C-alpha cells in the first residue's frame, strides 16, 4: 500500500492538490496523510514543556487545525469515496519542512504531493516558497501541482536531462512506477550546444537507458 503525504494550509490551492492526488492514485491502494502545521502567535513556557494540551490558554492554531482537518476529511469522504483509499489527519506545532521530514521518516512516506502556492502566495511566483523549501530538503519525491490545475489522464512524461549525472535505477524508480501506473510514454529530452555528447555524457546516457529497459 502506497503512503502519500498531503500537506495543507486549508487554501483552495491545497485542496486542489489533494484532489489531484486522489485522482492520480485512484486505482492504487493508498494511505493518505493530511498534514497541517501551525505556529502559535507567541511562544509560552507551557508550550515548550508540554504543548497545547498542557496550556491553560486556548490557542486558535490548535482549534483551526482540528476544524480544518475535520472539514477536509469530511469533504474527501463526501466527494471522493474510494474503498482503496485510507486517510489520517495530522496536525503539528512545527515548521512545515521539519514536520514533513519527521513524518516521512516515521511513517515511511513514499511521496509528497502539494500545491505550488499557498493561501497568501503571490500569483507571479511560479512555485511558492514553502514548496521550494520542501523540494530542497526532501529525500523523497515531491509532486508539485500548479494552482488550479485539474487532473487529466497522463499519456506522456518528459524527463529533461543533460546526462551530467550517472543516475541509477533507485533514483528514477518512482518515475518508472508512475510511467507504468498510467501506461504512459516516457520521453527523454537533451538540449546540447555541442555537436556531440561527451564521453561522460554518453556513458551516463547508456546507464540511464539501461534503467528504463523494463518500460
Amino acid at each position: 500500500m502506497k503512503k502519500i503525504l498531503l500537506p495543507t494550509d486549508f487554501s483552495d490551492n491545497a485542496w486542489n492538490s489533494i484532489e489531484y492526488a486522489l485522482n492520480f492514485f485512484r486505482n492504487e491502494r493508498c494511505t493518505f496523510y493530511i498534514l497541517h502545521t501551525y505556529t502559535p502567535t507567541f511562544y509560552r513556557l507551557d508550550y515548550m514543556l508540554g504543548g497545547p494540551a498542557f496550556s491553560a490558554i486556548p490557542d486558535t492554531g490548535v482549534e483551526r487545525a482540528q476544524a480544518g482537518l475535520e472539514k477536509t476529511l469530511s469533504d474527501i469522504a463526501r466527494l471522493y469515496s474510494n474503498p482503496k483509499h485510507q486517510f489520517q489527519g495530522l496536525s503539528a506545532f512545527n515548521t512545515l519542512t521539519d514536520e514533513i521530514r519527521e513524518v516521512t521518516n516515521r511513517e515511511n512516506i513514499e511521496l509528497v504531493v502539494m500545491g505550488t502556492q499557498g493561501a497568501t502566495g503571490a500569483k507571479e511566483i511560479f512555485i511558492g516558497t514553502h514548496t521550494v523549501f520542501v523540494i530542497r530538503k526532501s529525500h523523497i519525491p515531491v509532486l508539485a501541482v500548479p494552482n488550479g490545475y485539474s487532473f487529466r489522464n497522463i499519456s506522456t512524461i518528459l524527463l529533461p536531462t543533460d546526462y551530467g549525472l550517472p543516475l541509477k535505477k533507485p533514483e528514477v524508480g518512482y518515475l518508472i512506477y508512475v510511467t507504468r501506473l498510467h501506461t504512459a510514454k516516457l520521453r527523454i529530452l537533451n538540449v546540447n550546444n555541442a555537436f556531440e555528447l561527451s564521453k561522460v555524457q554518453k556513458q551516463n546516457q547508456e546507464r540511464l537507458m539501461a534503467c528504463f529497459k523494463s518500460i
Side-chain angles (χ1 to χ4, degrees):
M1 178 175 287
K2 295 292 178 184
K3 292 186 175 183
I4 315 297
L5 184 63
L6 306 176
T8 180
D9 59 0
F10 309 129
S11 64
D12 291 341
N13 182 45
W15 172 251
N16 183 68
S17 65
I18 290 174
E19 288 188 302
Y20 190 93
L22 298 181
N23 283 297
F24 192 92
F25 293 103
R26 62 176 177 265
N27 296 319
E28 289 287 283
R29 300 186 67 84
C30 300
T31 297
F32 293 98
Y33 296 81
I34 315 295
L35 172 67
H36 176 73
T37 60
Y38 62 92
T39 304
T41 305
F42 55 89
Y43 293 90
R44 300 190 301 265
L45 179 60
D46 50 2
Y47 252 108
M48 299 301 101
L49 294 175
F54 292 85
S55 176
I57 307 174
D59 193 285
T60 56
V62 180
E63 297 171 358
R64 180 175 180 271
Q66 187 61 32
L69 286 173
E70 289 177 359
K71 183 180 186 305
T72 300
L73 292 171
S74 175
D75 289 343
I76 291 173
R78 177 170 53 88
L79 299 172
Y80 291 95
S81 178
N82 187 335
K84 294 184 177 181
H85 292 171
Q86 299 178 10
F87 300 91
Q88 289 191 31
L90 303 172
S91 64
F93 167 37
N94 202 351
T95 62
L96 179 62
T97 51
D98 287 346
E99 189 62 25
I100 286 178
R101 184 167 57 249
E102 291 178 18
V103 173
T104 53
N105 290 335
R106 183 177 70 243
E107 303 293 344
N108 294 319
I109 302 294
E110 301 172 47
L111 176 72
V112 178
V113 182
M114 62 187 299
T116 55
Q117 294 177 12
T120 59
K123 292 183 178 179
E124 63 271 16
I125 299 176
F126 176 65
I127 297 181
T129 304
H130 287 306
T131 310
V132 170
F133 286 161
V134 171
I135 290 173
R136 285 178 176 174
K137 293 188 176 183
S138 179
H139 61 275
I140 63 173
V142 178
L143 176 59
V145 181
N147 190 22
Y149 187 82
S150 300
F151 178 81
R152 292 181 295 175
N153 289 331
I154 297 172
S155 59
T156 306
I157 297 173
L158 182 67
L159 173 62
T161 176
D162 61 0
Y163 299 121
L165 296 174
L167 294 176
K168 300 176 182 178
K169 194 165 185 177
E171 296 168 317
V172 294
Y174 218 89
L175 179 59
I176 294 173
Y177 160 73
V178 170
T179 304
R180 286 174 170 166
L181 176 64
H182 295 282
T183 320
K185 294 179 180 178
L186 177 62
R187 301 197 182 280
I188 301 172
L189 172 66
N190 171 257
V191 179
N192 194 349
N193 292 327
F195 290 103
E196 294 183 358
L197 297 177
S198 68
K199 181 178 179 181
V200 172
Q201 285 177 310
K202 288 181 179 179
Q203 291 174 342
N204 292 337
Q205 182 187 44
E206 292 173 0
R207 292 190 183 99
L208 188 60
M209 293 305 106
C211 292
F212 295 132
K213 277 187 177 180
S214 61
I215 55 172

